[in-house]
Amino acid sequence: MQFFKMVCLALLASGTAVNQAQCQTSAPVPATPPAPVSFDRSAMDLKADPCQDFYQYACGGWRSSHPMPADKARFGRFDELREYNLYVLHSILEDAAAPGKHSANEKKVGDFYAACMDEPAVEVKGIEPITAWLEMIAAIRDRKQLLDLAARMQAGGLRPFFVFGVNPDLHNSMLNIAYVDQGGLTLADRDYYLKQDAKMMEVRSKYIEHIQKMLTLAGETPEQAAQHAKAVLVLETKLAEASMDRVARRDPKTRDHKMTVAELEKQAPEINFPRYFKLAGAASFDSLNVGNPEFFQKLSGLVASEPLESWKTYLHWRVVKGSAPLLSKAFVDENFAFQGKYLSGQQELEARWKRCTSMTDSSLGEALGPLYVAKVFPKEAKARMDVLVAAIEESMAKDIQNLDWMSPETKQAAEEKLHKVANKIGYPAKWKDYRKVVIKRDDLVGNFLAAAVFEEKRNLAKLGKPVDRSEWGMTPPTVNAYYSPSENNINFPAGILQAPFFSAKVDEAVNYGGIGVVIGHELTHGFDDQGRKFDGDGNFTNWWGPTDGPEFERRASCVADEYSSFVSVKDDKGEVHLNGKLTLGENTADNGGLKLSFMSMTRQAGDNANEKIDGFTPAQRFFIGFAQVWCENITPQRARELALIDPHSPGRFRVIGTVQNSPEFPRAFGCKTGDAMVPANVCHVW
Ligand SMILES: [Zn+2]
């Protein structure tokens, strides 16, 4: 859990590891596919006109030669690398799970993986691994017991009503304080509960059917389950009404409410917070940040007004739903039928080994991480990254100096922030110590919860302590990167430092188009519409001059309007536009990243600037390399989901949206103003 949502390069693989688990222990594992490559001529559609549709030009070949795999709802070159990493991790885990002499880390991840792969044992247990929780819920007699059990569930790695944890103080970024925030929804966004359009109404009726089926599997009669399903939807809808929407939550100001615990109790009198925090496992504290006070006011009212039976049904549902991917096949299949097939348009569940591999990474990432790093991460990659990061930072400093709309004072403050950006590459200097986590070879649910409890305790133990900025928010094999506003650092896990992002085998232009743009993207997050509200020390404070802030906003709103005009899905359920305000930070980062990396490449290229390879100039290879990271196919269902919840634009618009604003792009391909890729109105923030 991160109150300061890390702003990263792409949405993580939709939590699929835990959302979809099923069983094929003995199914043969296909051979590891070849490692992805960087610049790929065969991925292009050379018949397309780069000035009219650059995405088709750079990616048309790949998109037509890569029909959607049955076990994916979105698949692109980015995902190809994820999939490749999964094979690498899988071979590590198969070795670790086999008999023989193993290190402590190998034993831990090997046992976790083996327990997950033991489908017959999982099948025999059925729902048994969660019956103790279900019995405790059934035994609740009053509202005090309800809240007590909710707190114990939190301590047990299950999160029922709301979010509680420890994060840096917004205004004193070196100190960890307690946070509470809205939560408790099963569907991915409040809109699923509240919007009255035909699609959302359909989702809700399917959701009711899904709850009913799952509760029936868990032992209720179909009649009971039908009644309970309705009660769950009523309660979750009320929680949705109390929740703030995604766009509002992007602004840290909307989540900045430090108060004493006593003040929180005054606002939400039905919840005994000191008792809740204690039972959840936290040491005593006086003040905290409340992410959304209105949510807690309403939650308190709901605790009093809603029937106790509804709350019990809700908790029961949360436990069944949360653990479904870890239970027997019937639960896994029903969970997938709704979550994967209906909501995302994915045709088949991923093979069990893929799900178990992902789950081991997400549960014990820093035990698996050292094994991954030792196997694949070349030392030269770190040295090369240091040079690239320095080059991109130098470009950002120049870019700030060149801005014609920013006052000298604000430029100086921006440079100060830039110079304080720290960068972390590859993997943590110090790994987490999992010695106290007990992993058994025959207890998948127990292992999963043991890892969750470990993280819960680890997080709560930071309360009142200085922030440790050497920690990582992603595991080493992750194909992603992030900027942390409260830590003012950029982070690049080993998993992304490979083709198509980065390769020792290609020319620098292609690497600048790949990982160079990624570095620029993360750096720009420190100066996007929300990142700019934090200073170089990571504190939420205004360092902008009186005219500079409005000038920035004016430029940013141009970007928001540009991306809102893009249509992500058009089908029989209507047209879905991107939400330019939701994706503004990411789009700003894409545009800034492309610009900064191109500046760096040009500076470094010197005499080689026009030397062609494969018939393409370095500038052309830069743009093609950039675009080819984002070649992808996606189901209309998944595109629809992502338009609602993903702060990133889909691949097509990450490419088109940025090149349309780039003055270097038309020069590289000889395009003219008025061509589709060269609109008359362009947007520039950085
Ligand atoms: Zn990002």
Side-chain angles (χ1 to χ4, degrees):
M1 179 207 52
Q2 291 264 337
F3 181 78
F4 298 95
K5 275 178 288 187
M6 305 178 305
V7 268
C8 57
L9 190 70
L11 194 71
L12 287 165
S14 69
T16 44
V18 206
N19 280 338
Q20 310 161 7
Q22 197 216 356
C23 320
Q24 283 155 8
T25 319
S26 56
V29 176
T32 303
V37 293
S38 286
F39 187 100
D40 181 359
R41 204 185 161 97
S42 73
M44 300 175 69
D45 174 2
L46 291 164
K47 290 200 201 76
D49 180 350
C51 302
Q52 295 304 325
D53 185 346
F54 188 60
Y55 192 61
Q56 177 63 23
Y57 177 75
C59 291
W62 190 94
R63 295 187 68 222
S64 61
S65 63
H66 289 75
M68 183 71 68
D71 69 347
K72 299 284 182 293
R74 184 197 70 184
F75 195 68
R77 296 187 84 231
F78 200 105
D79 306 285
E80 249 180 345
L81 178 54
R82 278 183 178 152
E83 191 86 344
Y84 175 75
N85 281 353
L86 212 50
Y87 277 87
V88 173
L89 292 175
H90 174 247
S91 75
I92 293 171
L93 290 171
E94 284 285 335
D95 288 346
K101 201 169 151 38
H102 295 302
S103 69
N105 271 343
E106 281 169 337
K107 172 130 180 55
K108 206 140 272 184
V109 298
D111 286 349
F112 189 101
Y113 174 77
C116 182
M117 288 302 289
D118 189 352
E119 183 182 15
V122 169
E123 204 55 32
V124 166
K125 286 186 182 178
I127 197 174
E128 185 271 325
I130 57 167
T131 46
W133 283 110
L134 299 183
E135 281 164 10
M136 283 189 272
I137 292 164
I140 291 172
R141 291 287 166 263
D142 57 34
R143 284 161 218 278
K144 180 170 165 290
Q145 290 179 0
L146 172 80
L147 290 166
D148 283 0
L149 188 61
R152 289 197 175 97
M153 285 169 72
Q154 160 97 31
L158 307 154
R159 291 176 182 172
F161 302 154
F162 57 85
V163 171
F164 167 52
V166 173
N167 277 306
D169 187 336
L170 273 166
H171 299 282
N172 178 10
S173 64
M174 293 312 292
L175 182 70
N176 280 310
I177 62 165
Y179 277 71
V180 286
D181 208 343
Q182 67 186 46
L185 299 184
T186 304
L187 297 173
D189 192 273
R190 72 197 286 276
D191 275 9
Y192 284 110
Y193 298 91
L194 305 179
K195 268 202 163 172
Q196 292 305 322
D197 62 53
K199 176 69 191 172
M200 291 309 191
M201 284 160 74
E202 181 196 286
V203 169
R204 289 195 287 276
S205 78
K206 297 273 184 191
Y207 180 46
I208 287 204
E209 284 172 31
H210 171 57
I211 302 172
Q212 186 189 352
K213 284 181 190 161
M214 291 279 258
L215 294 181
T216 310
L217 287 174
E220 297 187 359
T221 65
E223 295 72 31
Q224 277 175 326
Q227 204 188 348
H228 285 162
K230 284 189 197 136
V232 167
L233 184 63
V234 167
L235 200 49
E236 290 193 357
T237 303
K238 289 182 179 173
L239 293 176
E241 283 164 354
S243 303
M244 207 189 301
D245 74 62
R246 261 171 217 281
V247 171
R249 285 180 62 79
R250 290 192 62 241
D251 187 347
K253 195 165 186 290
T254 63
R255 294 173 278 124
D256 178 22
H257 310 283
K258 199 166 175 187
M259 60 181 79
T260 62
V261 176
E263 280 166 332
L264 174 60
E265 281 201 283
K266 217 174 280 172
Q267 292 194 34
E270 296 297 328
I271 303 171
N272 183 341
F273 283 100
R275 186 175 168 84
Y276 186 98
F277 297 144
K278 191 175 172 213
L279 290 174
S284 152
F285 57 90
D286 296 328
S287 62
L288 78 171
N289 189 69
V290 180
N292 180 1
E294 208 184 314
F295 176 84
F296 288 93
Q297 291 156 18
K298 291 188 176 158
L299 176 66
S300 171
L302 293 173
V303 166
S305 67
E306 295 306 298
L308 185 64
E309 282 310 309
S310 291
W311 280 113
K312 289 170 67 173
T313 302
Y314 167 78
L315 284 189
H316 179 93
W317 164 242
R318 295 284 285 170
V319 172
V320 171
K321 175 70 178 172
S323 54
L326 312 167
L327 301 178
S328 51
K329 190 171 183 304
F331 288 94
V332 172
D333 285 351
E334 173 51 32
N335 193 52
F336 173 74
F338 177 71
Q339 212 75 40
K341 197 160 189 177
Y342 169 67
L343 282 178
S344 299
Q346 184 174 323
Q347 292 309 303
E348 284 176 14
L349 190 60
E350 279 191 317
R352 190 168 184 92
W353 72 263
K354 290 188 190 177
R355 285 173 282 128
C356 289
T357 301
S358 301
M359 206 185 297
T360 313
D361 179 44
S362 60
S363 285
L364 298 172
E366 291 196 16
L368 182 55
L371 309 174
Y372 171 81
V373 165
K375 186 159 178 171
V376 303
F377 188 60
K379 287 206 172 58
E380 316 81 72
K382 161 113 177 66
R384 188 74 198 102
M385 276 296 282
D386 287 338
V387 173
L388 284 168
V389 170
I392 306 283
E393 286 179 349
E394 190 185 331
S395 296
M396 181 108 209
K398 288 199 162 69
D399 185 43
I400 291 168
Q401 280 315 318
N402 291 340
L403 292 177
D404 56 10
W405 53 269
M406 193 183 266
S407 66
E409 297 76 24
T410 302
K411 282 185 177 180
Q412 197 186 337
E415 275 199 75
E416 277 168 26
K417 174 166 184 178
L418 174 64
H419 289 132
K420 287 184 177 177
V421 174
N423 64 78
K424 289 169 22 207
I425 292 159
Y427 54 91
K430 187 168 168 259
W431 300 98
K432 287 178 190 171
D433 178 354
Y434 292 97
R435 264 176 300 183
K436 288 186 181 154
V437 186
V438 178
I439 300 297
K440 296 178 187 159
R441 220 172 155 94
D442 60 353
D443 188 4
L444 171 56
V445 173
N447 293 342
F448 183 82
L449 291 178
V453 168
F454 168 77
E455 293 297 343
E456 204 71 48
K457 280 188 180 157
R458 202 173 168 278
N459 177 259
L460 290 180
K462 295 177 190 172
L463 187 59
K465 306 246 167 70
V467 173
D468 177 0
R469 292 186 172 186
S470 72
E471 289 190 0
W472 281 66
M474 285 178 183
T475 68
T478 306
V479 183
N480 211 331
Y482 69 95
Y483 170 78
S484 163
S486 71
E487 298 183 357
N488 194 29
N489 56 23
I490 50 180
N491 302 264
F492 306 95
I496 198 174
L497 303 178
Q498 307 173 70
F501 293 93
F502 177 67
S503 167
K505 293 179 194 147
V506 295
D507 46 307
E508 285 301 73
V510 174
N511 280 333
Y512 273 109
I515 199 71
V517 176
V518 174
I519 297 167
H521 172 110
E522 300 310 339
L523 202 55
T524 306
H525 267 315
F527 303 88
D528 72 18
D529 65 312
Q530 304 307 329
R532 76 177 188 88
K533 297 173 180 170
F534 293 80
D535 68 12
D537 294 321
N539 290 313
F540 175 40
T541 178
N542 185 10
W543 49 269
W544 292 65
T547 58
D548 300 310
E551 279 292 330
F552 179 98
E553 296 295 336
R554 202 163 62 77
R555 282 164 173 74
S557 71
C558 174
V559 177
D561 292 343
E562 177 195 1
Y563 284 79
S564 285
S565 75
F566 294 140
V567 175
S568 179
V569 197
K570 196 175 173 181
D571 62 13
D572 56 342
K573 297 267 175 1
E575 220 175 48
V576 179
H577 281 250
L578 294 187
N579 181 342
K581 287 188 174 141
L582 174 65
T583 55
L584 180 54
E586 296 300 335
N587 297 331
T588 305
D590 277 348
N591 280 272
L594 190 81
K595 179 180 182 182
L596 298 178
S597 190
F598 195 91
M599 282 170 77
S600 308
M601 178 188 77
T602 314
R603 224 176 32 246
Q604 305 239 319
D607 292 343
N608 301 326
N610 291 313
E611 195 181 310
K612 287 190 179 179
I613 300 177
D614 264 354
F616 298 102
T617 65
Q620 289 172 337
R621 291 174 67 82
F622 170 91
F623 284 106
I624 296 165
F626 158 69
Q628 288 193 337
V629 165
W630 300 113
C631 301
E632 70 185 23
N633 287 308
I634 186 163
T635 63
Q637 295 93 324
R638 186 70 181 142
R640 198 175 272 278
E641 278 186 302
L642 291 182
L644 185 62
I645 63 172
D646 190 352
H648 307 86
S649 297
R652 174 178 181 80
F653 301 112
R654 294 189 81 153
V655 172
I656 285 179
T658 43
V659 300
Q660 282 185 339
N661 291 326
S662 164
E664 290 84 13
F665 174 77
R667 281 203 285 275
F669 288 92
C671 308
K672 298 179 298 293
T673 305
D675 287 342
M677 295 296 106
V678 195
N681 294 323
V682 295
C683 307
H684 293 296
V685 178
W686 294 104

